[in-house]
Amino acid sequence: MATDTREAAPRAKPPARAGGRRRTSPLRFYREVVAELRKVVYPSRTELITYVVVVLVFVSVMTAIVASLDFGLTKLVLLVFG
């Protein structure tokens, strides 16, 4: 037997903004973005080259691992199922 649910479910309140503040103007947002970008520490040229090489080596190794697993599993499936 089903439960009678004729009462309306309570409505959820819309989420309040953080701290109850109003939206900022686009100009203030832009100024805050620029201020945050001034705090960023960019890597030197040698650090950047090192990071790029590390990423390329890692991606190459992972590609080789995935390709070899794919090749091996394909051969195994073909061997088992003909």
Side-chain angles (χ1 to χ4, degrees), residues 43-58:
S44 68
R45 185 177 191 88
T46 56
E47 289 174 331
L48 184 62
I49 291 171
T50 303
Y51 296 155
V52 168
V53 169
V54 167
V55 167
L56 290 176
V57 168
F58 176 77

Side-chain angles (χ1 to χ4, degrees), residues 6-58:
R6 293 181 189 209
E7 295 180 26
R11 299 186 107 180
K13 291 183 180 179
R17 288 194 170 88
R21 294 185 293 170
R22 295 177 44 172
R23 297 179 106 180
T24 60
S25 69
L27 183 61
R28 181 172 177 184
F29 175 76
Y30 176 75
R31 286 180 183 158
E32 290 178 6
V33 167
V34 170
E36 288 299 320
L37 286 175
R38 287 190 179 134
K39 297 177 187 177
V40 174
V41 178
Y42 293 97
S44 68
R45 185 177 191 88
T46 56
E47 289 174 331
L48 184 62
I49 291 171
T50 303
Y51 296 155
V52 168
V53 169
V54 167
V55 167
L56 290 176
V57 168
F58 176 77

Side-chain angles (χ1 to χ4, degrees), residues 63-76:
T63 301
I65 290 171
V66 169
S68 62
L69 283 172
D70 181 49
F71 181 75
L73 290 174
T74 300
K75 289 293 184 184
L76 180 67

